Amino acid sequence: MTEAWPAMPEGSRLALREILIHGVLSRAEIARSLGLSRASLTRAMRTLVAHRMVVEVGTDVRGATGRPSELLQTSTGAWEFLGVKLTKDRLYAAVTDLGGRVLALHEESIESSSPEDLADQVATVSEQLCAVHPAICAVGVSLPGDIVLRDGRAVVVSSQFLGWQDVPFAAMVEERSGLTVFTANDVHALTAKEHWLGAGAGRRSMVLVTVGEGIGLGLIANGQVSTGEHGRLGRIGHLAVLGGGPDCGLGHHGCTSSFLPSPVIVQNAGHDGKTYDEVVELARAGDTRAVAAFEDAGRALGVVLASAVLIADPSAIVLTGDGLPVYDLARPAVDEALRAALAPYDEPVTIEVQPFEFSEWARAGAVLAIRRLLGE
């Protein structure tokens, strides 16, 4: 196992963040972006080089001076991170380097979702991967649930999918693994990853919307991940989107959960015995009820996207999740509902569609660990 993550001065942390987000930067670009003097930048970079966090990768002519400048990027091999994504029945893991580049992937089934058993399982996976990747220094676990800080420690206040209440999961895994462990809501963690290393890189504002078995929303405002007072920001499953509609299960008619989740689309299509993928194929083949269910889901998604624009005014919306076929199959319905809900505003809305992979959610856990260590 590598040494513990070192304490670093503010200038070094900010410089490392700039390199992480932009990939390769010159010293002059870092100094200009952060407003650092040449002396301050030299001190900041000396710390990063001493801890083997950045390496020089050649020179290039950048800027107006025409003079060559050293190019820097994050190092590989000295510092590694483990990201874990928990669902109700699967565990996904990814090992990354300091730049968020994936070095290894792993997945396995979850036999028991009790906090103690899952903490044991995550610790065991950590031990196995540390044996192959001894430079792992921290773990980030993303999971579906509301997470808040109590006395400086993360607590899973509630997780409907896992059946948890008031679980200090990070502390439980940390005690078992001996590693520094962080936890976050899975959508918030994915939003943070996209903000640094994805479609939102360099943006000051961004909304991420996930569609699948559940519906989630993450927000970047003023360059920071917003989680809300109680860790519940983005719980849009019961946002009213269409008049009427089937009961969502909680007595609402016409909310997001009445139309958009993948299992609900299957139900609304009248094909309870089939999988979501099978209903997708039926819709592609022109099955009337399947097509209607996806069109209703598309209209609901359009209202969700418009609501995000009206509330957050983001520079872009990132759309992802294993329910993305909704956007593909019902794009006209999505666009029509989006335009109608945004009226009278007519500014263009940038929507970035990100292909869905559970490995990216696990990678988001690793990026969560990196961000937390950098004080984000």
Side-chain angles (χ1 to χ4, degrees):
M1 190 182 301
T2 190
E3 65 265 32
W5 185 263
M8 289 188 291
E10 181 76 358
S12 297
R13 292 194 303 105
L14 293 176
L16 181 56
R17 184 183 66 178
E18 286 296 301
I19 297 170
L20 279 166
I21 294 173
H22 298 288
V24 177
L25 286 178
S26 70
R27 291 175 181 263
E29 287 170 324
I30 298 169
R32 187 161 52 250
S33 176
L34 299 178
L36 295 177
S37 67
R38 182 187 295 267
S40 296
L41 179 67
T42 297
R43 288 193 296 270
M45 298 312 302
R46 186 182 298 126
T47 298
L48 297 179
V49 171
H51 289 300
R52 296 165 294 139
M53 292 179 176
V54 299
V55 293
E56 186 179 327
V57 290
T59 59
D60 192 13
V61 176
R62 297 193 176 193
T65 65
R67 287 179 285 186
S69 180
E70 297 175 340
L71 299 180
L72 299 159
Q73 72 174 25
T74 53
S75 61
T76 297
W79 301 93
E80 295 176 2
F81 306 83
L82 173 61
V84 175
K85 155 68 173 170
L86 300 178
T87 72
K88 62 183 179 181
D89 55 9
R90 301 291 291 177
L91 179 154
Y92 300 87
V95 178
T96 79
D97 64 12
L98 183 53
R101 295 172 284 265
V102 175
L103 307 176
L105 295 173
H106 172 82
E107 73 172 271
E108 62 185 47
S109 61
I110 292 174
E111 302 302 328
S112 168
S113 62
S114 78
E116 294 77 12
D117 290 342
L118 256 184
D120 287 340
Q121 186 171 359
V122 172
T124 299
V125 169
S126 300
E127 182 180 0
Q128 293 169 347
L129 290 172
C130 283
V132 182
H133 296 273
I136 291 174
C137 64
V139 181
V141 180
S142 73
L143 55 88
D146 304 330
I147 299 173
V148 299
L149 289 178
R150 288 181 181 166
D151 299 323
R153 301 307 302 265
V155 176
V156 183
V157 177
S158 174
S159 175
Q160 179 181 350
F161 281 96
L162 296 172
W164 292 359
Q165 296 285 333
D166 294 322
V167 176
F169 194 67
M172 293 170 67
V173 177
E174 196 164 284
E175 180 181 359
R176 289 161 169 79
S177 68
L179 292 166
T180 300
V181 180
F182 304 97
T183 53
N185 170 271
D186 51 4
V187 175
H188 296 164
L190 186 64
T191 301
K193 191 274 291 183
E194 286 296 321
H195 178 224
W196 269 22
L197 304 175
R203 296 184 184 273
R204 294 287 295 168
S205 64
M206 182 192 88
V207 165
L208 178 135
V209 174
T210 63
V211 292
E213 187 161 338
I215 311 301
L217 180 145
L219 173 65
I220 299 292
N222 297 320
Q224 299 292 323
V225 181
S226 298
T227 61
E229 182 68 23
H230 306 97
R232 298 174 187 163
L233 187 144
R235 291 180 59 170
I236 56 172
H238 297 285
L239 174 73
V241 289
L242 302 176
D247 189 321
C248 70
L250 294 179
H252 306 150
H253 292 271
C255 71
T256 308
S257 294
S258 299
F259 300 102
L260 195 47
S262 300
V264 173
I265 292 175
V266 173
Q267 178 182 336
N268 291 347
H271 295 292
D272 284 342
K274 295 188 179 296
T275 67
Y276 177 71
D277 290 339
E278 289 171 335
V279 174
V280 167
E281 292 308 312
L282 284 171
R284 294 190 195 282
D287 180 272
T288 303
R289 294 188 67 183
V291 169
F294 273 101
E295 287 181 346
D296 283 344
R299 283 188 281 272
L301 177 58
V303 176
V304 166
L305 298 178
S307 299
V309 172
L310 292 171
I311 293 171
D313 189 26
S315 64
I317 296 176
V318 177
L319 180 63
T320 190
D322 55 353
L324 275 181
V326 171
Y327 193 68
D328 178 31
L329 287 167
R331 179 67 181 274
V334 175
D335 290 344
E336 181 182 357
L338 177 62
R339 285 193 299 269
L342 284 180
Y345 306 105
D346 59 1
E347 289 86 354
V349 178
T350 300
I351 298 177
E352 301 273 1
V353 179
Q354 289 291 88
F356 173 78
E357 294 287 346
F358 268 116
S359 61
E360 284 301 292
W361 293 72
R363 182 183 176 218
V367 176
L368 162 70
I370 296 169
R371 290 180 69 117
R372 292 288 173 81
L373 289 171
L374 284 174
E376 292 292 317

